[in-house]
Amino acid sequence: MDRLYLMTVFIAVAEAESFSVAARRLSISPPAVTRAIATLEKRLGVRLLTRTTRFVRATEAGLRYLEDARRIVAEVDEADEAAIGINAVPRGRLMVTAPVLFGRMFVTPVVVDYLRRHPEVTVSALFVDRVVALVEEGLDVGIRIGHLPDSSLQAIRVGQVRSVLCAAPAYLAEHGVPELPEDLAEHVLISSSGSSVDPAWKFMRDGSVVSVKVQPRLIMSTNDSTIEAARSGFGIARLLSYQIASLVASGELRIVLAEHEMAALPIHVIHREGRQSAAKVRGFVDLVVQRLRGDGALR
C-alpha cells in the first residue's frame, strides 16, 4: 500500500482513538482501516497502537510517529495546493471551532454564507466552551476569546469583548444599583458554569485588581439560560459584552459597575501555520476575519 495512505489512516485512527470513527472520517470500510494499520506496523516492525475492547491508544512509538506523520502529510497537502495554484477552488472538509454562544451568534452565519459561495466544501463545526487544541483534534480554524499562549498557530486579532455585570432595569429599580464591587454581597447574583466556576469575581479599582468572593443564588449550565434569568429580573449576572449587546441596546438589560471592569479580552481567529494554507482555509479565514472585524458588538 502507498505509504502516504498508510500514514493518513494511522493519523485518523490515532486522533479518533477508534477504527470505526476513522473509517467514517476517511469514507473507507473498517476492514480497510484494520488492514492499513497492520500493514504499516509490519512495515515498520513496531506496534503503533494498543487495542482493547474499550479503546485504542497510540503507544510511545506511535506518538512519536504520529507527530512526524502529521508533519509529512501536511507538507504534502501544502505542496499539492502550491501546484494547483493560489486561486484554486476551495474544496474538501473544513473543521471549525468556537465557543458555543459565539459560534451560534457570529460563526454560523459566516459558515452558511461560505458554504453557499463554495459548493465543493463541507463544514464540521465544533462549538464548545473549552480550549480546543486545533492540531491534536484535527481542526482547521478556531475562534478564541482571551489571551493566547505561545504556539505555532497563526493568529489574527479581530476584536475584543469585556466581562460585564448586567441586570434588568426592573431588578435595579427594586434592589438598587451597586456602586462598588463589595455592594454585590447585598444582591442576588447569577453565574454560568459554562464560562467559569471561580468563586471570586475580579474588578479594577485605582489601577489594581481586586477579587470579590461571590455566592451566586443561581448557577446555570449555559450562557443562554443565564441571560434569560437576568432578563427576567431575578438578579445580576456576569457575562461577556457580545452576549448581551443587543439586549443592552434595546434597554432590556443594563450594565452596572462599568467603571470597575477588567481589561477587554482579545478575540483571535487562529489556524494552522504553513507555507501556504489550503484554499478552503484561506477562503474561510478571509471571510470570517472580515465579518468579525466589521461587527460593532466586538469592538
Side-chain angles (χ1 to χ4, degrees):
M1 293 185 186
D2 176 77
R3 186 172 297 182
L4 188 63
Y5 167 76
L6 297 179
M7 285 183 175
T8 301
V9 174
F10 169 69
I11 292 170
V13 174
E15 290 181 343
E17 297 185 342
S18 167
F19 280 71
S20 59
V21 173
R24 289 196 296 272
R25 284 186 182 178
L26 299 173
S27 299
I28 60 178
S29 68
V33 172
T34 301
R35 287 194 299 272
I37 296 301
T39 299
L40 182 60
E41 289 182 329
K42 183 177 179 180
R43 176 177 290 181
L44 296 175
V46 63
R47 181 171 290 278
L48 299 174
L49 297 168
T50 298
R51 311 159 179 82
T52 71
T53 56
R54 297 193 307 170
F55 64 82
V56 177
R57 297 285 191 276
T59 62
E60 184 176 351
L63 290 173
R64 291 197 301 269
Y65 190 76
L66 177 61
E67 183 178 348
D68 290 335
R70 281 174 172 152
R71 175 180 51 79
I72 291 168
V73 171
E75 289 179 353
V76 171
D77 288 343
E78 289 173 3
D80 288 346
E81 288 292 331
I84 293 172
I86 194 166
N87 295 319
V89 175
R91 57 171 54 87
R93 187 184 186 195
L94 182 71
M95 305 284 286
V96 178
T97 185
V100 175
L101 191 53
F102 193 95
R104 176 175 68 79
M105 294 174 65
F106 297 99
V107 181
T108 296
V110 179
V111 167
V112 171
D113 189 12
Y114 179 76
L115 290 174
R116 285 173 175 158
R117 298 184 185 194
H118 303 293
E120 295 186 50
V121 177
T122 61
V123 172
S124 292
L126 175 65
F127 295 158
V128 290
D129 289 326
R130 62 176 174 85
V131 176
V132 177
L134 261 64
V135 175
E136 287 78 355
E137 300 194 36
L139 296 158
D140 299 299
V141 182
I143 290 83
R144 191 158 295 169
I145 299 174
H147 299 286
L148 299 177
D150 292 335
S151 75
S152 61
L153 297 172
Q154 296 280 7
I156 305 170
R157 182 161 176 159
V158 293
Q160 63 182 24
V161 293
R162 308 177 336 268
S163 179
V164 300
L165 297 185
C166 64
Y171 172 87
L172 297 174
E174 181 179 353
H175 299 277
V177 178
E179 301 293 335
L180 297 172
E182 291 80 359
D183 295 342
L184 294 175
E186 305 301 323
H187 285 269
V188 176
L189 303 182
I190 309 167
S191 180
S192 171
S193 61
S195 59
S196 175
V197 293
D198 192 342
W201 290 358
K202 293 181 172 58
F203 300 90
M204 292 298 298
R205 176 183 287 177
D206 299 326
S208 300
V209 177
V210 296
S211 294
V212 176
K213 289 186 178 181
V214 295
Q215 293 183 321
R217 285 200 61 204
L218 179 59
I219 301 175
M220 308 298 282
S221 62
T222 67
N223 290 315
D224 278 322
S225 54
T226 302
I227 293 169
E228 192 57 36
R231 285 181 65 188
S232 73
F234 181 71
I236 297 175
R238 184 175 69 161
L239 292 155
L240 293 179
S241 55
Y242 81 85
Q243 297 168 341
I244 58 168
S246 62
L247 298 176
V248 171
S250 68
E252 293 181 71
L253 289 175
R254 177 180 165 190
I255 292 176
V256 299
L257 294 177
E259 64 274 20
H260 295 289
E261 290 173 1
M262 296 288 289
L265 298 170
I267 306 171
H268 290 91
V269 174
I270 58 175
H271 62 94
R272 301 187 196 188
E273 186 174 16
R275 293 190 302 273
Q276 184 178 14
S277 299
K280 64 182 180 182
V281 175
R282 288 198 310 273
F284 182 77
V285 168
D286 289 345
L287 183 60
V288 76
V289 166
Q290 176 189 11
R291 292 291 178 80
L292 296 182
R293 282 180 171 172
D295 198 303
L298 307 179
R299 294 176 184 169

